[in-house]
Amino acid sequence: MEDMDYNVVSVSGGKDSTAVLLLALERNAPNLKAVFADTGNEHPITYDYLEYLDKKVHPITIVKADFTEDLNRRSDYIQNHWLEEGKSQYEIDKAVEALKPTGNPFLDLCLYKGRFPSPRAAFCTKMLKKEVIDQQVFSPLLTEGYDVNSWVGVRADESPRRAALKVSEFAKDLKGSKLWIYRPVLKWTAQDCFNLHKKHGIEPNPLYKMGMSRVGCMPCMQCRKTELLEISKRFPEEFERIKNWEERVSNASKRGSATFFPAKADELGKYPKIDTVISNLKYKQSYEFQEELFEPMCSSVYGLCE
C-alpha cells in the first residue's frame, strides 16, 4: 500500500468491523478513514458504542442516504396515476401523506419502495450502506486521483456466500484510480475478532452480552427467532417503532399492506404484522418450554460473560 492510497474501513459497530479497524491501526495503514453508514434502524446502544470507538480508537465519519427526491417522485406518480389504476382518492391522499420524508434512511427507503426488504430482496444493504459509501466516500477520493483500499469486516464462516469471497479483489476503476476490496478477517473466527478487542483493551458492543448474535439493524429481517424473542424481552420499544413503521409503509403501499417480516396472507386475506409474529413466537416458546421470568442477565451466544 502506497502513501497515495486511502484506506477506508467500513465500521458498523459490530465485532468484525471493529476488529478490522483495530487491525488497520496495527498495520499503520496510511490515510486511514473509518466510515459508518447510518441506516436509521440501529439500536441506541450501537450509536453510543460508535461514539466510544470514535473517541477511544479512531475518528469515525458518518454518512447516510437521502431519499427525499425519490419520495417526491413517487408522490407525484401516485397523484397522477393511481386514480386511473383503480385506487380511490382516499387511498391516494393517505399514500401522499405517508410519503413525506422523515429523514430516517431505512424508513424513507421502505416508503419509497412501498415495502420492507426481505431475504429475496435485500435492497437495504445495497441502498443504505454500499451505494452511500461508494457515492459519498469512494467516488470523491477516486475522482481526486487516489487509489482506495476498502477494508471490509466479513468472515467466511458466516455463510456459504461469504465463504466463496476472496481476501482481496479489484472492484472498479474511475478516471485511472482504482478501488480494491480487502477482507482481512475473512478466515478468522468470531473469537479471533473478540481476542483482538481484548488485546487492545477495547470493549465489544454491549449488545453481544444481551443475546444478540449480530449487530446492525435492530431488528434485522434475517435475525434468528431466538434473537427476536430476546429483543422483544429486552427492547420492546424497538418493536413499537416497527409497528408504527409498518402502518406508515402500508399507507404508502399500493396493496395497502406492508410487513417487516415476509408474510403470507391468512384465510381472511390479512398479512400478519410484527406484533403477531412476536406473539406467535412467545406462544410457541411457552408451549414447548416452561416459560421463565426474564431477568436482565448476560445471555451472550459468544460466552462473553464467562
Side-chain angles (χ1 to χ4, degrees):
M1 297 180 185
E2 300 176 358
D3 289 343
M4 286 303 293
D5 289 348
Y6 256 87
N7 291 281
V8 179
V9 178
S10 298
V11 179
S12 68
K15 62 188 182 304
D16 301 335
S17 66
T18 301
V20 169
L21 178 58
L22 293 171
L23 197 60
L25 288 167
E26 268 192 1
R27 296 179 181 178
N28 296 313
N31 296 326
L32 181 61
K33 190 177 184 69
V35 178
F36 167 61
D38 184 3
T39 67
N41 190 29
E42 319 285 336
H43 193 275
I45 288 176
T46 293
Y47 289 116
D48 290 342
Y49 184 69
L50 287 159
E51 287 187 19
Y52 163 78
L53 293 179
D54 179 87
K55 293 175 181 176
K56 188 155 186 174
V57 180
H58 189 80
I60 297 174
T61 298
I62 299 175
V63 295
K64 64 179 183 178
D66 183 352
F67 297 99
T68 301
E69 292 184 5
D70 303 282
L71 291 170
N72 290 338
R73 280 199 308 271
R74 186 157 188 262
S75 181
D76 288 342
Y77 178 88
I78 288 172
Q79 294 179 77
N80 293 326
H81 297 282
W82 267 25
L83 199 61
E84 62 189 47
E85 292 175 7
K87 293 295 181 180
S88 68
Q89 190 61 49
Y90 172 74
E91 292 172 307
I92 292 171
D93 292 342
K94 190 166 61 171
V96 169
E97 178 63 26
L99 285 169
K100 291 180 179 178
T102 69
N104 182 296
F106 188 94
L107 176 54
D108 284 352
L109 172 60
C110 295
L111 289 170
Y112 164 56
K113 290 283 189 178
R115 56 168 295 184
F116 290 92
S118 69
R120 290 187 177 183
F123 50 80
C124 45
T125 299
K126 177 186 177 185
M127 299 183 72
L128 296 175
K129 294 184 176 183
K130 292 180 179 178
E131 290 184 354
V132 177
I133 293 178
D134 184 62
Q135 294 166 4
Q136 298 185 31
V137 181
F138 295 154
S139 290
L141 288 173
L142 293 169
T143 300
E144 291 174 16
Y146 293 101
D147 287 337
V148 178
N149 302 294
S150 172
W151 297 55
V152 183
V154 298
R155 293 181 298 103
D157 64 8
E158 292 180 303
S159 70
R161 182 184 65 81
R162 292 188 172 187
L165 295 172
K166 298 177 181 178
V167 172
S168 180
E169 63 180 301
F170 174 73
K172 71 174 182 178
D173 185 301
L174 180 61
K175 296 183 178 180
S177 296
K178 295 176 174 56
L179 171 66
W180 291 84
I181 307 299
Y182 181 41
R183 307 179 181 95
V185 300
L186 186 64
K187 304 301 181 182
W188 288 27
T189 64
Q191 190 58 54
D192 291 332
C193 292
F194 286 123
N195 288 344
L196 194 62
H197 285 62
K198 188 174 183 180
K199 175 183 176 182
H200 290 275
I202 299 301
E203 291 293 326
N205 190 314
L207 290 173
Y208 288 122
K209 292 185 179 181
M210 301 178 182
M212 306 300 110
S213 62
R214 58 194 293 175
V215 172
C217 284
M218 174 69 75
C220 172
M221 46 82 183
Q222 298 195 75
C223 69
R224 301 171 182 173
K225 291 180 180 179
T226 53
E227 192 160 304
L228 268 182
L229 280 171
E230 198 70 31
I231 296 171
S232 71
K233 293 172 181 177
R234 291 183 183 272
F235 311 117
E237 67 279 2
E238 298 303 313
F239 289 115
E240 286 301 312
R241 171 174 56 82
I242 297 298
K243 280 177 61 176
N244 292 333
W245 286 8
E246 283 184 326
E247 181 178 359
R248 184 156 180 168
V249 177
S250 292
N251 289 341
S253 171
K254 194 169 185 179
R255 76 175 186 181
S257 179
T259 60
F260 187 85
F261 293 106
K264 294 181 180 179
D266 60 19
E267 61 275 7
L268 299 176
K270 295 184 177 181
Y271 294 86
K273 297 191 175 180
I274 197 164
D275 51 349
T276 302
V277 171
I278 298 302
S279 295
N280 290 342
L281 282 175
K282 287 181 176 179
Y283 174 79
K284 185 177 181 181
Q285 183 193 51
S286 178
Y287 180 78
E288 293 182 349
F289 312 102
Q290 184 176 358
E291 185 78 26
E292 297 180 357
L293 290 176
F294 175 74
E295 297 179 2
M297 61 174 61
C298 175
S299 55
S300 170
V301 298
Y302 298 107
L304 296 177
C305 308
E306 298 177 358

